[in-house]
Amino acid sequence: AQSVAQPEDQVNVAEGNPLTVKCTYSVSGNPYLFWYVQYPNRGLQFLLKYITGDNLVKGSYGFEAEFNKSQTSFHLKKPSALVSDSALYFCAVRDENTGNQFYFGTGTSLTVIP
Amino acid sequence: GAGVSQSPSNKVTEKGKDVELRCDPISGHTALYWYRQSLGQGLEFLIYFQGNSAPDKSGLPSDRFSAERTGGSVSTLTIQRTQQEDSAVYLCASSRDVGSGANVLTFGAGSRLTVL
């Protein structure tokens, strides 16, 4: 069955330090992978996606993510965290075989400490 | 429109009442999804519309929930005889034809439902 796991409910990082938000997935076919961010009282905003090609994907606000097929992971990273990065982050996957469904993780709350 | 518009942004209702939540997707987006986000929970898929195809209702939690999409555009999610456990933020998202895996979901700001 298709699924996404975000093993950390909460991640704290000091401002200026690198950050990582973890995501692993399970699909039957090739995955399409996405990261979204949700600020308080807002809808989800698209950050970046992996469809095919280069395993390192760059997105909005300096974020990037690396697709690792052998580890079935798609961790979100940023070299230097900002306080304004504090938000809820969701990983999502689509399966090329089932197409229509987006499967979301349970979200990771990121807090960047000044 | 420029984005996905949802209304109302906040709705407080009494247990047992019916509520309607509206979603106006981005013009030209043929795919429309409803999700539910409960406090401390992830996104729960409810229903999916794609063009004129029959909707995928597999995520609706009970027969009190229904949704329709008129003219391939605006969608209404209806919850009948609301219960306290229905309290959540209901998110609508739209996308171009999801036949291409490259297409992403654009979300509205959500409708926060509180059932007293």
Side-chain angles (χ1 to χ4, degrees):
Chain A
Q2 293 80 4
S3 66
V4 173
Q6 293 182 242
E8 301 159 318
D9 292 336
Q10 174 77 43
V11 170
N12 297 324
V13 64
E15 185 178 23
N17 282 2
L19 70 86
T20 298
V21 183
K22 296 179 180 177
C23 171
T24 59
Y25 65 90
S26 174
V27 295
S28 58
N30 289 322
Y32 302 134
L33 294 154
F34 305 83
W35 275 102
Y36 285 83
V37 60
Q38 185 179 34
Y39 298 101
N41 300 314
R42 302 283 296 276
L44 278 70
Q45 297 178 29
F46 169 72
L47 272 181
L48 52 78
K49 65 184 179 185
Y50 171 82
I51 303 299
T52 186
D54 195 350
N55 289 343
L56 184 63
V57 178
K58 294 186 183 296
S60 306
Y61 312 122
F63 283 94
E64 58 188 28
E66 185 167 12
F67 170 61
N68 188 316
K69 188 172 183 177
S70 63
Q71 298 185 2
T72 62
S73 68
F74 189 57
H75 302 331
L76 181 70
K77 299 183 179 184
K78 187 173 182 180
S80 178
L82 300 173
V83 172
S84 58
D85 293 330
S86 298
L88 188 58
Y89 290 81
F90 288 95
C91 181
V93 66
R94 284 181 61 202
D95 185 332
E96 67 165 359
N97 290 337
T98 56
N100 300 331
Q101 273 275 23
F102 288 79
Y103 298 89
F104 283 84
T106 52
T108 298
S109 179
L110 172 69
T111 300
V112 181
I113 303 164
Chain B
V4 177
S5 178
Q6 291 188 247
S7 61
S9 55
N10 279 286
K11 176 70 175 180
V12 179
T13 191
E14 295 179 347
K15 178 182 174 181
K17 300 285 189 182
D18 297 352
V19 297
E20 286 189 351
L21 307 177
R22 175 188 168 106
C23 173
D24 198 345
I26 292 174
S27 178
H29 281 192
T30 58
L32 187 148
Y33 296 76
W34 284 98
Y35 288 88
R36 179 167 68 176
Q37 184 178 21
S38 302
L39 187 63
Q41 302 295 316
L43 272 66
E44 177 187 5
F45 166 75
L46 297 177
I47 189 169
Y48 157 73
F49 296 89
Q50 171 61 54
N52 295 321
S53 302
D56 177 354
K57 303 180 181 180
S58 60
L60 294 178
S62 76
D63 59 7
R64 296 187 296 104
F65 288 73
S66 63
E68 63 178 20
R69 188 178 185 191
T70 54
S73 181
V74 172
S75 177
T76 302
L77 176 68
T78 301
I79 309 173
Q80 295 178 311
R81 304 181 303 281
T82 52
Q83 304 294 313
Q84 288 182 334
E85 60 263 28
D86 299 334
S87 297
V89 176
Y90 290 82
L91 293 169
C92 176
S94 71
S95 172
R96 295 186 187 279
D97 183 353
V98 291
S100 167
N103 291 328
V104 303
L105 294 179
T106 300
F107 282 84
S111 292
R112 181 177 298 277
L113 175 65
T114 303
V115 182
L116 302 177

